[in-house]
Amino acid sequence: MCAHNPPCPTAMAPDREAARPVAHRPEQGWSLLCNGVLVFEDTGELLPDGRIVAPHRPPALTVGSAA
């Protein structure tokens, strides 16, 4: 599907998020990558075969209060 040189990672590659975006809808919170992966702003993904990748955002750091 990718016509870039060098080619972008495939949808099944571990680094699939490195593919170039071909459509971006920030107001809706998603981007379509050239490998067919839909990436959502919460870091979840929808793969071309219909599989879902759960959001994998690192846990937020919390600021503790000093006593």
Side-chain angles (χ1 to χ4, degrees):
M1 188 182 303
C2 177
H4 299 115
N5 191 11
C8 292
T10 67
M12 298 305 142
D15 60 344
R16 64 181 154 259
E17 294 175 16
R20 293 188 190 181
V22 294
H24 181 63
R25 298 289 182 255
E27 69 280 2
Q28 296 177 354
W30 61 267
S31 295
L32 175 64
L33 305 180
C34 70
N35 57 9
V37 175
L38 270 172
V39 180
F40 298 95
E41 68 182 12
D42 69 353
T43 69
E45 300 172 8
L46 180 60
L47 302 181
D49 65 2
R51 286 189 291 152
I52 297 170
V53 177
H56 47 277
R57 180 180 295 165
L61 296 175
T62 57
V63 178
S65 59

